[in-house]
Amino acid sequence: MTSFLDSLNEEQRKACECTEGYVRVLAGAGTGKTKTLTARYAYLVSILGLYPSNVLCVTFTNKAANEMKERILKLCSNIALPWVNTFHGFCADFLRKHADVLGYPLNFAIISVNEVKEILKPIYKKLGINGREFSLQDGWEFIDKLKSKDLTYVKEMLSCDSNTLLELVKEEGLSIKMQMFYLYLYEERISSLMDFDDLIAFTLTILHENAEICESYQKRLQYIEVDEFQDIDHLQYELVEILSAKHKNLFVVGDPDQTIYTFRGADVSFFVDFPKRHVPTTSFAFKKNYRSQGAILDCAYTLISKNPENGRQHLEAMRQDIVKDDMRNIEEINLKKQEEFNLKEVLNALESHTSLDLVTDPKFEIVDDEIRTFKPIVCGAMDEGEEADFISRQIKNIRSYNQNYTIAVLYRSRHVSLKIEQALVNYQIPYKVYGDFNFFERREILDVLAFCRACLNPHDNTALRRIINVPIRGFGKSRMQRLEKDAFDHDGSLYEALVANIDNPFYYKRSRIKAFLQVLENLHAIFSLNISPLMGIERVLNDFLYEDHLKNSGEKERLESLAQLRQMAQIFEKSAGESVNIADFLKHLVLYTTKDDDDDVKKVALMTVHNAKGLEFDYVFIAGLNEGTFPSSKSVNYQDLQEERRLLYVAMTRACRQLFITTVNGHTAKGREQVSSRFIEDLDVDEVYFNGIKPLFLDNKVALKTNVEDGEFKIGDRVFHCIFGPGTILDCDKIHGVYEIKFEALKESRNLSFNAPLEPLKN
């Protein structure tokens, strides 16, 4: 019965068999934490004979939870369904049984972030909030921050009379953001909705206020396991503490170097300080990596070592099969290092070169023992197009060598994927964007392309159906059904039926359909004159007021897509080499919107690094390693840069066989110079192979103090600022590296980073 334990290494088995009390496991990337969690669960229920409903395993994603359930059932198929869930899943199940204790219906609906934004749209309109200045994303983040701060809002939301929330909105001096917050709570209340924040807050409220329910769960949960403990926030931590309070059998697994959610409130100190908070604690450290070959781990360790040490250990590569396999199939070639050479020549050489783990140009002299084949490759390109072309050529070569290798392209921000998607299509490489729509499946892109098609051909029924009420112009479902019937009865197009009935009050009364039709006809005449792609898109966005609609709605991410579409049209015009029109551009885009039916496993995976957490691929490309992109332009202090470096570390350790990092040293479409990420400078030149143009770095990076990760001051300290003068520390946010300070010369407090020029002031 213990055969599954034999597959564990010594440390994993010791951790698995340590069942009693508080246990902390420091598990680096690829060291088998999921394997250990599942084996330990199986050990508890299969070997020790515990009932599955007395053992809870909590993780962060549904995908991880389902994977763990499947593994546990394979290890011990004779047990009932294992209790493995996410934090939000556990709370949702809890509230389906107990929400009525708070006077909330048990059949409440759970809403996603996108649905939160839909609720906010009419609230923005009612309050006159300018979506350009305060986007829907900003609104959701404001709500999320307030709800995550503490549980005080729950009582306001669940007051006896929901109208109490409306009375709060009318309070004198209440900021417009707080008005928005209370109106949002009102909408949740009257519609019996809960967002993800509510799930945990409501659960904690019941556990605090109802001793009988709390005791029943504490008695039931004899053993609790928590995955990714480095990423829990203070409310999740409080939930785990309450549930484990009776039996005190809490098993936590985490890795401080993979803390990448502090912007959501994650606090790594809960993991780092676990032994101090829970005495005694038995600790284990896993350092045998079963995912990546050694050169990748060496490079990743060099990078992450620039962050403060939190019990970090150099991971030991156990995947010798990768080295042996590649050495059998690929001739080991050593090359003379070149400081700089032309990227296009390299790409031409790559196209005919069969050694997939190497970057080489046959013109250069071969020098013995110069470059190892397994080193991560850093490639510099002149622009995003060359970067995307390099990535696609490499993938094409990998695919020709072995169709079964898994490949991923990772990036910090989704805008990086545009050129890469274009290049993959050009090379006829199937791909899938995870955690997002493919660029040409995004709503705003489909809208604009439909507008363009309708302007070229007003009789295009599919296009007209999509845009006739976008933005909303009072032409709803009933009018559309009537228009469809009129078109069918007269054997004509929707456009013809609309023109024929334009004076019918049913269509135009209290609608703006006449104005829409006039714009459509005007642009049809202009499009017939061979208008250029870029100009055609501009006219559509302006004349149909579509861009203003997105700006006013606060959907900034959709505006970014429009900017990318403009850039694509501009590039198409320049590359065509002759006069082209909007119709030519739309025909060109058919390539990009064609669906591919290949199995997802064989598709190249495109995703943000955050979405890649917990995954692994044979080959990984990390694109867009440039200042302002990775690290993000929002990284303004030392703590932010630490998080960005951890994020890159997570990306690098997704790779099993080979790792490619790409950077651009040219100019953006707007003429802004791009320089390579400071993280490339963190790498050891002896551990990577630099290919392409030489990376260009900033000479005058913002100096960030490296000794203030915990803050030099504490609450109550008196400080002096060279501009603001004397003040007092009111709050110290270690997660974001921010002080709240009340300066004597200012009416309101100010938030300053830990890097601010502050000096201690004696009273």
Side-chain angles (χ1 to χ4, degrees):
M1 291 182 68
T2 60
S3 59
F4 59 84
L5 295 179
D6 296 335
S7 66
L8 304 177
N9 65 35
E10 183 179 358
E11 284 299 301
Q12 290 171 341
R13 181 159 184 158
K14 286 180 179 178
C16 182
E17 294 177 335
C18 185
T19 61
E20 305 308 305
Y22 295 109
V23 183
R24 187 189 75 156
V25 176
L26 174 60
T31 57
K33 67 178 181 64
T34 303
K35 182 178 183 179
T36 305
L37 281 164
T38 54
R40 186 177 186 272
Y41 195 105
Y43 180 77
L44 288 170
V45 301
S46 183
I47 307 303
L48 300 190
L50 287 158
Y51 192 58
S53 66
N54 295 125
V55 184
L56 172 66
C57 184
V58 183
T59 187
F60 271 78
T61 67
N62 290 318
K63 183 176 183 297
N66 291 332
E67 180 185 349
M68 291 179 68
K69 286 179 185 178
E70 291 175 4
R71 289 196 190 188
I72 293 169
L73 288 173
K74 285 180 180 178
L75 295 178
C76 42
S77 57
N78 60 332
I79 68 167
L81 190 66
W83 195 3
V84 183
N85 215 332
T86 63
F87 276 104
H88 294 112
F90 171 84
C91 292
D93 292 342
F94 178 92
L95 292 170
R96 291 295 181 201
K97 300 175 182 177
H98 307 296
D100 55 350
V101 172
L102 297 175
Y104 219 73
L106 296 178
N107 63 342
F108 62 88
I110 303 171
I111 53 176
S112 66
V113 174
N114 286 333
E115 290 170 316
V116 170
K117 293 179 181 179
E118 290 301 314
I119 294 173
L120 288 179
K121 285 181 180 179
I123 294 176
Y124 270 42
K125 187 174 182 180
K126 180 176 182 177
L127 296 177
I129 297 176
N130 188 334
R132 304 186 189 195
E133 298 175 358
F134 190 71
S135 69
L136 294 174
Q137 180 69 19
D138 294 331
W140 172 75
E141 289 178 357
F142 180 81
I143 292 169
D144 178 61
K145 185 176 181 180
L146 278 183
K147 287 188 172 184
S148 301
K149 189 175 182 180
D150 54 50
L151 304 177
T152 55
Y153 83 91
V154 175
K155 289 186 178 180
E156 294 174 325
M157 183 175 174
L158 299 179
S159 55
C160 295
D161 185 354
S162 60
N163 288 321
T164 302
L165 292 167
L166 297 180
E167 294 300 319
L168 290 173
V169 175
K170 300 175 184 177
E171 284 188 2
E172 186 177 352
L174 191 68
S175 71
I176 196 166
K177 292 180 182 179
M178 287 304 300
Q179 293 178 46
M180 173 205 70
F181 178 68
Y182 287 127
L183 285 175
Y184 172 74
L185 295 185
Y186 176 77
E187 290 296 327
E188 279 192 292
R189 170 76 183 274
I190 64 173
S191 301
S192 300
L193 305 176
M194 286 193 200
D195 59 29
F196 289 165
D197 290 320
D198 298 326
L199 293 176
I200 293 180
F202 280 36
T203 298
L204 280 172
T205 299
I206 293 174
L207 292 174
H208 283 310
E209 297 181 355
N210 193 300
E212 183 179 352
I213 293 176
C214 182
E215 288 172 8
S216 69
Y217 275 84
Q218 288 176 334
K219 182 178 180 180
R220 177 183 178 184
L221 293 173
Q222 298 174 14
Y223 294 87
I224 298 176
E225 298 181 347
V226 184
D227 190 13
E228 305 284 9
F229 203 76
Q230 80 280 351
D231 280 329
I232 67 171
D233 60 32
H234 74 101
L235 292 183
Q236 292 165 341
Y237 177 78
E238 185 179 346
L239 178 62
V240 171
E241 288 291 285
I242 292 174
L243 295 177
S244 63
K246 179 176 178 60
H247 296 286
K248 298 180 175 15
N249 290 323
L250 178 59
F251 182 90
V252 302
V253 181
D255 179 11
D257 286 336
Q258 296 188 72
T259 304
I260 59 174
Y261 289 107
T262 58
F263 66 95
R264 293 184 184 173
D267 187 346
V268 71
S269 69
F270 292 132
F271 181 81
V272 174
D273 298 336
F274 189 86
K276 297 178 183 177
R277 297 169 182 260
H278 305 84
V279 180
T281 290
T282 304
S283 294
F284 298 92
F286 295 172
K287 63 178 182 179
K288 292 183 178 180
N289 177 285
Y290 295 90
R291 176 185 299 156
S292 309
Q293 50 99 343
I296 294 172
L297 296 180
D298 291 341
C299 186
Y301 182 78
T302 298
L303 172 85
I304 200 61
S305 294
K306 301 300 186 293
N307 275 5
E309 192 269 337
N310 280 314
R312 180 182 305 117
Q313 297 188 61
H314 196 311
L315 299 180
E316 179 184 350
M318 306 301 291
R319 288 292 303 272
Q320 296 303 314
D321 60 308
I322 292 178
V323 177
K324 292 177 181 178
D325 177 50
D326 287 356
M327 290 296 285
R328 281 195 305 267
N329 293 288
I330 302 174
E331 178 185 5
E332 182 178 2
I333 299 175
N334 293 300
L335 305 170
K336 182 179 180 180
K337 287 186 178 180
Q338 300 294 319
E339 184 173 303
E340 182 175 350
F341 51 87
N342 187 280
L343 176 62
K344 290 184 178 179
E345 292 181 0
V346 175
L347 297 177
N348 291 335
L350 276 173
E351 195 166 29
S352 60
H353 189 52
T354 58
S355 294
L356 301 176
D357 287 337
L358 301 175
V359 176
T360 180
D361 189 320
K363 295 188 302 182
F364 295 130
E365 179 184 359
I366 294 177
V367 179
D368 289 341
D369 302 321
E370 179 71 14
I371 296 295
R372 292 284 299 180
T373 62
F374 300 103
K375 290 182 179 180
I377 296 165
V378 178
C379 179
M382 284 299 297
D383 55 42
E384 290 91 345
E386 284 190 337
E387 177 186 40
D389 200 52
F390 168 78
I391 292 172
S392 299
R393 285 175 182 262
Q394 282 285 12
I395 292 173
K396 194 76 172 178
N397 287 336
I398 294 168
R399 282 283 186 250
S400 67
Y401 176 63
N402 190 322
Q403 285 286 337
N404 295 320
Y405 280 148
T406 54
I407 304 172
V409 181
L410 309 181
Y411 36 81
R412 177 66 177 85
S413 303
R414 78 173 191 175
H415 75 268
V416 175
S417 72
L418 172 62
K419 293 291 177 60
I420 297 170
E421 289 186 55
Q422 291 177 292
L424 290 174
V425 172
N426 287 339
Y427 280 90
Q428 297 182 328
I429 299 172
Y431 72 92
K432 180 177 180 179
V433 180
Y434 289 82
D436 196 1
F437 292 108
N438 285 7
F439 180 77
F440 295 99
E441 295 175 356
R442 295 171 190 168
R443 186 183 76 199
E444 60 275 17
I445 299 302
L446 293 173
D447 286 346
V448 174
L449 297 183
F451 276 118
C452 291
R453 284 171 48 193
C455 291
L456 280 168
N457 175 20
H459 302 285
D460 185 334
N461 284 348
T462 302
L464 197 65
R465 283 191 189 96
R466 183 173 187 90
I467 54 120
I468 197 168
N469 201 39
V470 177
I472 294 174
R473 53 178 63 89
F475 204 87
K477 185 176 180 180
S478 60
R479 284 174 169 163
M480 193 63 210
Q481 289 174 341
R482 174 73 172 271
L483 184 64
E484 294 270 9
K485 184 177 184 303
D486 287 342
F488 179 81
D489 290 344
H490 293 86
D491 195 25
S493 66
L494 296 176
Y495 170 73
E496 290 172 323
L498 191 60
V499 172
N501 290 277
I502 195 61
D503 292 326
N504 186 335
F506 178 80
Y507 288 114
Y508 73 81
K509 190 175 182 180
R510 290 191 300 275
S511 79
R512 295 184 294 279
I513 198 63
K514 281 190 174 182
F516 164 77
L517 193 59
Q518 183 177 354
V519 172
L520 180 63
E521 291 173 342
N522 289 342
L523 288 186
H524 174 57
I526 294 172
F527 275 41
S528 301
L529 300 176
N530 291 325
I531 189 172
S532 71
L534 184 58
M535 184 57 69
I537 290 172
E538 292 293 351
R539 289 301 302 263
V540 160
L541 295 176
N542 293 328
D543 293 14
F544 285 108
L545 305 178
Y546 187 73
E547 188 167 31
D548 282 344
H549 159 67
L550 293 186
K551 287 179 179 178
N552 292 331
S553 69
E555 298 179 279
K556 286 183 178 179
E557 61 276 12
R558 301 198 184 280
L559 291 173
E560 292 175 4
S561 296
L562 298 186
Q564 293 171 13
L565 185 63
R566 285 185 172 103
Q567 188 179 19
M568 182 182 291
Q570 188 177 35
I571 292 171
F572 176 74
E573 290 179 19
K574 290 181 179 179
S575 62
E578 57 184 16
S579 178
V580 290
N581 57 38
I582 186 69
D584 297 323
F585 182 57
L586 294 184
K587 291 176 184 176
H588 173 71
L589 293 185
V590 171
L591 287 173
Y592 298 100
T593 55
T594 301
K595 300 274 187 180
D596 195 293
D597 295 325
D598 285 354
D599 188 83
D600 282 353
V601 175
K602 294 184 178 180
K603 293 181 180 180
V604 175
L606 271 63
M607 65 184 74
T608 65
V609 181
H610 282 100
N611 285 327
K613 181 75 177 294
L615 304 179
E616 62 181 53
F617 305 89
D618 290 313
Y619 289 82
V620 168
F621 295 80
I622 308 175
L625 258 288
N626 287 88
E627 286 294 314
T629 300
F630 206 163
S632 166
S633 58
K634 296 180 180 179
S635 303
V636 297
N637 57 41
Y638 185 60
Q639 285 71 26
D640 292 340
L641 284 176
Q642 285 183 17
E643 175 113 342
E644 293 290 301
R645 189 176 285 109
R646 290 193 296 268
L647 193 59
L648 179 56
Y649 174 77
V650 167
M652 295 171 72
T653 53
R654 300 310 95 196
C656 300
R657 291 181 172 272
Q658 183 57 295
L659 171 67
F660 296 84
I661 295 172
T662 60
T663 180
V664 175
N665 287 147
H667 291 80
T668 66
K670 295 182 180 180
R672 179 177 60 84
E673 184 181 38
Q674 298 195 93
V675 295
S676 294
S677 168
R678 67 187 70 196
F679 296 147
I680 294 179
E681 287 187 284
D682 287 344
L683 305 179
D684 187 331
V685 294
D686 293 327
E687 293 178 345
V688 297
Y689 176 51
F690 284 100
N691 165 55
I693 66 171
K694 184 178 180 180
L696 174 66
F697 300 108
L698 281 176
D699 292 328
N700 56 339
K701 298 184 188 72
V702 176
L704 296 173
K705 298 179 184 178
T706 59
N707 61 339
V708 294
E709 56 266 22
D710 293 322
E712 295 180 356
F713 305 102
K714 61 182 184 297
I715 296 175
D717 282 355
R718 295 277 292 162
V719 295
F720 181 82
H721 188 277
C722 57
I723 302 298
F724 298 136
T728 303
I729 304 288
L730 299 182
D731 194 13
C732 181
D733 183 350
K734 292 185 179 181
I735 295 177
H736 300 96
V738 174
Y739 295 119
E740 182 182 357
I741 307 174
K742 177 63 178 72
F743 290 103
E744 295 175 5
L746 303 175
K747 290 183 178 180
E748 301 294 336
S749 62
R750 294 288 185 268
N751 290 342
L752 301 184
S753 76
F754 284 176
N755 305 298
L758 297 172
E759 299 293 337
L761 182 66
K762 294 182 180 180
N763 292 323

